Amino acid sequence: MNARTILITGGAGFIGSNFVYHWCETYPGDRVIVLDALTYAGNRATLNPLEETANLRFVQGDICDRPLIDRLLQEETITTVAHFAAESHVDRSILGPDAFVQTNVVGTFTLLEAFRQHWLAQDKPEHFRFLHVSTDEVYGSLDADDPAFSETTSYSPNSPYSASKAGSDHLARAYFHTYGMPTLITNCSNNYGPFHFPEKLIPLMCINILLGKPLPVYGDGQNIRDWLFVRDHCRALDCVLNQANPGETYNVGGNNEVKNIDLVNMLCDLMDELAKDLPVHPARDLITFVKDRPGHDRRYAIDATKISTELGWVPQETLETGLRKTVQWYLSHENWWQPLLSEEYQAYYQKVYA
């Protein structure tokens, strides 16, 4: 395969940074351009080991900045876009939805339109690709006995976050059907793994256990999520970019449905086993039920049959193996997460869980 130049938006965030590592390791001959606004959830230090290589360029900037996007596409002769940049935390979208509409809808539109003009200027090359990375939350909530989300499930978003992602999905799909632009869409279940910002459930529990702080569990803890190890997700996205036909949509799930309270208990037990000198032992004593999130979706579940059948992708990690790797990573990378517990983060934490 000829060397490509790939633009990865949001590449200093959680899934984006893991994908940058995956791509650089898998395709060392490709040039990688990382664009990230470095909001609270972006951490340039995550990419420090890779910035020493000649094939990676980091650019701090906003996906809504059309002149910047145009310049990058032209300067670097971008052939592929992997679009991760998004506001992604439901709780924050409830407190302040404005940023979610601006980044997720307007930002995605800006990228699509810039890439369309770039693609047209190059006479519509067949190998160009625009991958829009989205979420299963666009489908809404499932009852206990409902079948899992498939690619044909109707959209029914229930939070400002999921509504903004639904809007960006529709734009990506429209650019294929209207203009023939080679877009691809993936909708994934909950990711977990290294480089995850502390506000999300799994790193929040790990860090609070280490600090001896309460483990806040929404409502009755019976909400169900399907958990996907982030490196498995990266392999799925690789398959989609390299094998899928333009215009296709794929659901990506980990085949790991579990109740939130059961997941927290698993994390407590792993921390008891792997961490030394915990402030509170057993860690389960820290579990505290808090007022439920407004509009909290009860269950998500992904049917990943299509990507398995058509592209041959299946997750390699079970929830047990993936959680163990994740807990071990947080235990050995305090120098990564400790600086993220800023005053702004503490104020946000109090606002959500107080």
Side-chain angles (χ1 to χ4, degrees), residues 50-71:
L50 293 177
E51 288 201 63
E52 299 171 4
T53 66
N55 279 348
L56 186 137
R57 174 188 175 190
F58 181 88
V59 178
Q60 182 174 352
D62 192 327
I63 58 172
C64 294
D65 185 346
R66 177 63 186 272
L68 171 62
I69 303 300
D70 287 338
R71 189 166 65 250

Side-chain angles (χ1 to χ4, degrees), residues 7-164:
L7 173 64
I8 302 176
T9 70
F14 167 44
I15 304 176
S17 62
N18 277 279
F19 185 77
V20 172
Y21 274 94
H22 168 86
W23 201 266
C24 290
E25 293 162 4
T26 309
Y27 307 104
D30 285 2
R31 180 156 171 77
V32 176
I33 312 301
V34 174
L35 175 65
D36 200 292
L38 294 182
T39 62
Y40 76 95
N43 187 354
R44 185 168 179 175
T46 300
L47 301 176
N48 281 348
L50 293 177
E51 288 201 63
E52 299 171 4
T53 66
N55 279 348
L56 186 137
R57 174 188 175 190
F58 181 88
V59 178
Q60 182 174 352
D62 192 327
I63 58 172
C64 294
D65 185 346
R66 177 63 186 272
L68 171 62
I69 303 300
D70 287 338
R71 189 166 65 250
L72 284 178
L73 293 174
Q74 294 164 16
E75 279 180 4
E76 297 288 353
T77 59
I78 302 293
T79 63
T80 305
V81 173
H83 175 34
F84 296 88
E87 295 286 346
S88 65
H89 193 43
V90 173
D91 289 337
R92 287 182 184 262
S93 82
I94 294 169
L95 294 173
D98 309 46
F100 288 74
V101 174
Q102 184 65 24
T103 298
N104 299 354
V105 180
V106 178
T108 299
F109 163 73
T110 303
L111 280 170
L112 285 164
E113 185 58 16
F115 190 75
R116 182 173 77 90
Q117 296 299 331
H118 175 61
W119 173 67
L120 288 172
Q122 306 297 317
D123 200 25
K124 302 182 180 180
E126 291 187 2
H127 65 286
F128 274 35
R129 292 291 184 273
F130 186 107
L131 172 62
H132 174 60
V133 182
S134 190
T135 171
D136 60 356
E137 296 191 39
V138 299
Y139 298 125
S141 182
L142 293 171
D143 290 331
D145 298 328
D146 287 342
F149 301 132
S150 74
E151 289 79 3
T152 58
T153 301
S154 297
Y155 277 32
S156 185
N158 290 321
S159 70
Y161 162 59
S162 56
S164 68

